[in-house]
Amino acid sequence: MVTLPRPAALLCDMDGTLVDTEHAWLDVVREFLAAEGRLLPPSELAPFAGATIDAAASLLVRDQLTTRPQEETARALDKAFTEAVAQGVAVQPGALALLDRARELGVATALVTSSERHVADLVLATLGRHRFDVSFAEGESARGKPFPDPYLNAAAALGVDPSLSLAVEDTPTGAAAALSAGCRVLVVPTVPGIPTGPRTTFVRSLAEVHLSPCGA
């Protein structure tokens, strides 16, 4: 068990972190590529982990992995991922317990996701909207992850200092955003590539995490 001091706020990524949708997202990208006649090994799908729909579409077009225009590519990815999430998502082990512990301690909580609002709302219905004070989805900040804007906006909405907040992430893209915002970061990696550092704690599962009633 890893015990962490009580943060001023808990700022949680969604896909792969609270719900097991990161693999579903990578499956969507893989299936899109297969339909284009391209088969990529898992290692070459890593850049898509944590990416927004638009960023993924841009990458596919830039690297000439599709002959479709970028907007059409983005629509196809969005449709497929939304359908996958609508079929139901599995909550990651320990996720609800961590969120409920934060509420028990009076810790403000935000959902900070790179998914579109309609996908975030589907997942919020599963996680329970009452577990979050605010939520920020893709397009609701001036810049998305890996820029710090979503985390800075979430902290501002909760009225807390980002440096006193704990972000929970699973990808290099998300961790970079949280660290750039000045947050401490709890990492439950779904893909490799997140560097170690003094403000970063790694766990294999959120079930391993306990929030102390004492602050940092």
Side-chain angles (χ1 to χ4, degrees):
M1 184 66 68
V2 176
T3 299
L4 298 174
R6 178 189 182 279
L10 186 67
L11 314 177
C12 297
D13 173 58
M14 186 180 80
D15 297 305
T17 302
L18 297 181
V19 290
D20 188 16
T21 48
E22 195 66 66
H23 293 104
W25 162 241
L26 292 178
D27 285 344
V28 164
V29 176
R30 184 183 297 109
E31 290 166 8
F32 177 88
L33 287 168
E36 295 285 300
R38 298 179 180 273
L39 299 176
L40 295 186
S43 60
E44 292 188 32
L45 290 173
F48 296 96
T52 66
I53 295 287
D54 286 340
S58 176
L59 186 60
L60 289 167
V61 172
R62 186 199 71 186
D63 291 350
Q64 299 182 337
L65 295 173
T66 180
T67 56
R68 303 191 200 186
Q70 185 169 328
E71 288 188 5
E72 180 184 336
T73 298
R75 284 196 300 271
L77 293 174
D78 183 42
K79 180 176 183 294
F81 185 54
T82 301
E83 289 174 351
V85 174
Q87 290 174 10
V89 295
V91 179
Q92 296 285 39
L96 296 184
L98 177 63
L99 292 168
D100 289 343
R101 175 61 173 169
R103 305 302 280 180
E104 177 187 332
L105 295 175
V107 175
T109 307
L111 186 72
V112 186
T113 178
S114 292
S115 283
E116 304 290 333
R117 170 53 63 183
H118 56 275
V119 174
D121 284 342
L122 287 172
V123 176
L124 279 168
T126 296
L127 294 173
R129 292 179 182 274
H130 65 282
R131 292 187 167 95
F132 300 92
D133 296 288
V134 296
S135 63
F136 283 85
E138 171 59 17
E140 296 174 358
S141 297
R143 299 175 298 177
K145 302 174 187 179
F147 295 100
D149 304 39
Y151 280 107
L152 292 173
N153 288 344
L158 296 174
V160 299
D161 185 334
S163 68
L164 301 178
S165 302
L166 179 66
V168 190
E169 275 287 355
D170 72 311
T171 67
T173 298
L179 289 169
S180 294
C183 303
R184 287 177 287 132
V185 185
L186 174 64
V187 177
V188 193
T190 55
V191 292
I194 301 176
T196 59
R199 290 187 289 130
T200 307
T201 301
F202 285 78
V203 293
R204 291 171 298 178
S205 165
L206 293 180
E208 300 176 2
V209 180
H210 176 72
L211 294 182
S212 167
C214 300

